[in-house]
Amino acid sequence: MNLHPLKVAYAKASRRRQYAQLRWGGYRRGRVLAGRCGFFGNMFMTLNGIRLCEAASVQPEPYWDGESLFYDDAHGDNAWAYYFQTVPSLTSATAPRTPSADKTLPFKPTADTIFPLYPNMGIRATYAEVIRRFVRLRPDVQADIDALIHRLFGDRVTVGVHVRQTDTVAGFEARKTFGLDAYCRAIDEYLRRSPDAGIFAATDSVAAIDALRDRYGSQLVALDCIRSTDNVSIHGHYDGGVPGSPYQKGLEVVRDAYLLSRVDHLVRVNSRVTAYSLCLNPSLTFTEIGGDDGKMDALPWLQTNAAPAEPS
């Protein structure tokens, strides 16, 4: 992202401070806290925190408490545990200890980028490696996603599309928005090469899913999930949000991200949902509908596997 230099400097200073605390503070565990943001904003914060803990040889413990928009009393006090298993134990624990230092450092990482990178890896590859080592779906969630992949995709070549609307269209994050025609042009370009391909659509908008169904008919598949009928966001980061279970909203976006990681090609706009999909599957190619020309630019570290996008 094209971030303001002061924000970049703050993020770097914050990472250095948190690393020093974890490495030299006598902590055995780092409790990685949630922010009040979308699900995969929290996820990238957590991945960054896990990597800091690993580098400092401190056991990472993601803990998404009531600050998380997906926290639901009915499902426990840690929203991370609704969907993911406990982070596996580190194979080494070399951080300095004191005899009574069995203690935990709660900290909230930034979401901007990961640090430090693994040797000889870029940002996308480092995120992919952190996910491989430390992020494991709960068995019931994994089984659910596996069944959905089998039912929705089967052996069919599939192009995935993530249409982001609601809070983006409302202008809360100063993102550049694109009409549905821009997505359809990218889908149509893929269908020119693979006319029998299926289309998996993930979107927060009822209008978008209806329009895509009208255009592509039975080629289109999508999950039955909570969607918005106007510009109100699903999770309620900047507004009141759409009514519904916070747990269910989280489960549905997890399903979307993991399903999108299993398509043959991805059509996306700047979103951490599909940034995660592309880190889950580092070889997945994609078409970027367009990068913003303002403060929310497309993620440049994803561009190595991007297909050229048509002008919007």
Side-chain angles (χ1 to χ4, degrees), residues 82-154:
Y82 305 167
Y83 317 103
F84 302 101
Q85 299 182 51
T86 300
V87 170
S89 297
L90 297 180
T91 56
S92 63
T94 58
R97 311 286 181 225
T98 61
S100 60
D102 186 10
K103 57 183 182 178
T104 299
L105 175 68
F107 72 105
K108 188 178 292 187
T110 63
D112 60 329
T113 191
I114 196 161
F115 172 85
L117 300 178
Y118 289 119
N120 304 313
M121 291 188 188
I123 296 173
R124 184 177 177 185
T126 295
Y127 275 125
E129 183 65 8
V130 171
I131 293 168
R132 187 190 70 80
R133 293 187 188 190
F134 299 111
V135 180
R136 299 176 184 175
L137 291 168
R138 284 172 48 119
D140 57 325
V141 177
Q142 182 68 67
D144 174 50
I145 289 171
D146 289 342
L148 288 170
I149 290 169
H150 178 74
R151 177 170 66 84
L152 296 175
F153 301 166

Side-chain angles (χ1 to χ4, degrees), residues 40 44 124 161-163 202 256-257 260 266-280 284 288 299 302:
F40 283 97
F44 277 94
R124 184 177 177 185
V161 57
H162 180 229
V163 181
D256 276 343
L260 287 168
L266 176 61
V267 175
R268 73 181 293 274
V269 289
N270 182 19
S271 167
R272 286 195 173 95
V273 175
T274 48
Y276 185 78
S277 303
L278 291 166
C279 294
L280 269 175
L284 180 60
E288 185 83 17
L299 297 167
L302 291 174

Side-chain angles (χ1 to χ4, degrees), residues 231-255:
N231 286 343
V232 175
S233 71
I234 300 299
H235 48 70
H237 183 191
Y238 300 107
D239 53 26
V242 173
S245 160
Y247 162 79
Q248 186 65 26
K249 291 176 184 180
L251 179 61
E252 288 173 356
V253 74
V254 168
R255 287 169 172 166

Side-chain angles (χ1 to χ4, degrees), residues 275-312:
Y276 185 78
S277 303
L278 291 166
C279 294
L280 269 175
N281 182 0
S283 64
L284 180 60
T285 60
F286 65 99
T287 299
E288 185 83 17
I289 293 301
D292 293 349
D293 52 9
K295 62 184 179 181
M296 295 296 290
D297 204 355
L299 297 167
W301 49 269
L302 291 174
Q303 297 307 311
T304 52
N305 289 338
E310 293 185 32
S312 59

